[in-house]
Amino acid sequence: MLAVLIVAAEEVPALKDWLKATFYHHWLGKGALALGVFAVVSVALSKQRSATRLSTVIFFEAIAVCVSVGIIAGFFLLHLLKLV
Amino acid sequence: MTTTLAVMLSIHVIGGVIAIGIHNVVLMHLLKKTPDYVFISRIAWSAVALFFLSWATSAYYYVTYYGTAVKPRIIAGAAPFAHTFFMETKEHIFLVLPFVALSIALCASYLRTNPDDALRKSTAFLTFVALGIGVATAVSGMLVSGSI
């Protein structure tokens, strides 16, 4: 979610403006939205009683984090090279 | 830079580096066959607190000072990519890190009462990812500081 929001805010000025207007700074807005999504997902996963399923969720979380970091770094690299 | 900003920046750096070091310790302990989950969960929660402290102090510094006073100097200097790539990437990747630390701490706490080998391994993998991100973020910070 965060990677999509970060790229979207850079590419869609209206979104960045909305984040600035709502949260004082676009970076604070991204953090606040990430906190909200994390809280909701955590509450949903707290119902999980199976350690095996939880280990699968954690594994895919690690993969999702790697992909997100790749997207974020890749986007700003393309931005630096003026390709986007 | 005011004294408050200098203190905020120092806490950001020191807190972040210690938290990254803690994740290294967590990873080493999770790789054991019979880890001490009480110890691991305690230090993992310490890393969470330090990452959130580092996050909060950097937010204050970034919002009130960096954008207006530091960023223009870097962009006008010899290494503008220090901001356009390293700082931009770092400030956004760092949004992920406290939540990853929180996940690790929650798993470690869960493992205290429900030891499970599969969950131990996946938590170790997540910790390894967090450690890699933390180190990359810290190195980026050094590059940004060095470009001023």
Side-chain angles (χ1 to χ4, degrees):
Chain A
M1 186 282 294
L2 202 52
V4 170
L5 182 62
I6 288 164
V7 173
E10 294 299 320
E11 293 297 306
V12 181
L15 176 59
K16 203 168 192 174
D17 291 340
W18 174 79
L19 287 168
K20 273 185 212 173
T22 309
F23 298 100
Y24 180 72
H25 195 281
H26 67 94
W27 187 80
L28 293 174
K30 290 166 192 167
L33 290 172
L35 189 60
V37 169
F38 185 84
V40 167
V41 172
S42 296
V43 167
L45 284 175
S46 68
K47 315 288 180 211
Q48 195 58 254
R49 293 284 173 245
S50 161
T52 308
R53 286 194 72 178
L54 199 52
S55 72
T56 307
V57 167
I58 296 303
F59 176 77
F60 281 110
E61 180 185 343
I63 299 295
V65 168
C66 291
V67 170
S68 296
V69 168
I71 289 171
I72 294 167
F75 174 77
F76 285 109
L77 181 61
L78 292 174
H79 210 256
L80 175 68
L81 298 172
K82 297 191 185 349
L83 294 173
V84 293
Chain B
M1 192 192 299
T2 64
T3 306
T4 303
L5 285 166
V7 168
M8 291 286 177
L9 186 59
S10 301
I11 293 172
H12 164 65
V13 173
I14 294 168
V17 169
I18 293 174
I20 292 165
I22 288 174
H23 272 170
N24 182 41
V25 175
V26 168
L27 177 60
M28 294 299 109
H29 279 263
L30 281 172
L31 292 175
K32 292 182 178 181
K33 285 211 174 111
T34 51
D36 180 352
Y37 289 120
V38 173
F39 172 72
I40 291 172
S41 65
R42 283 178 183 161
I43 62 169
W45 282 108
S46 302
V48 172
L50 285 167
F51 271 128
F52 275 99
L53 180 64
S54 183
W55 198 19
T57 49
S58 71
Y60 181 84
Y61 176 83
Y62 184 84
V63 170
T64 62
Y65 184 72
Y66 178 86
T68 51
V70 182
K71 176 180 159 185
R73 284 168 56 191
I74 295 175
I75 290 179
F81 59 85
H83 173 79
T84 52
F85 177 70
F86 287 103
M87 186 61 188
E88 291 280 8
T89 303
K90 171 182 184 285
E91 79 188 52
H92 289 103
I93 286 174
F94 195 70
L95 288 170
V96 175
L97 213 41
F99 299 110
V100 176
L102 202 46
S103 294
I104 293 166
L106 286 167
C107 286
S109 294
Y110 180 87
L111 283 163
R112 280 173 69 162
T113 50
N114 306 278
D116 179 83
D117 207 50
L119 184 57
R120 176 185 65 84
K121 288 175 184 170
S122 52
T123 306
F125 178 50
L126 184 64
T127 309
F128 175 71
V129 170
L131 185 59
I133 294 170
V135 169
T137 306
V139 169
S140 295
M142 286 181 220
L143 286 166
V144 171
S145 295
S147 68
I148 297 170

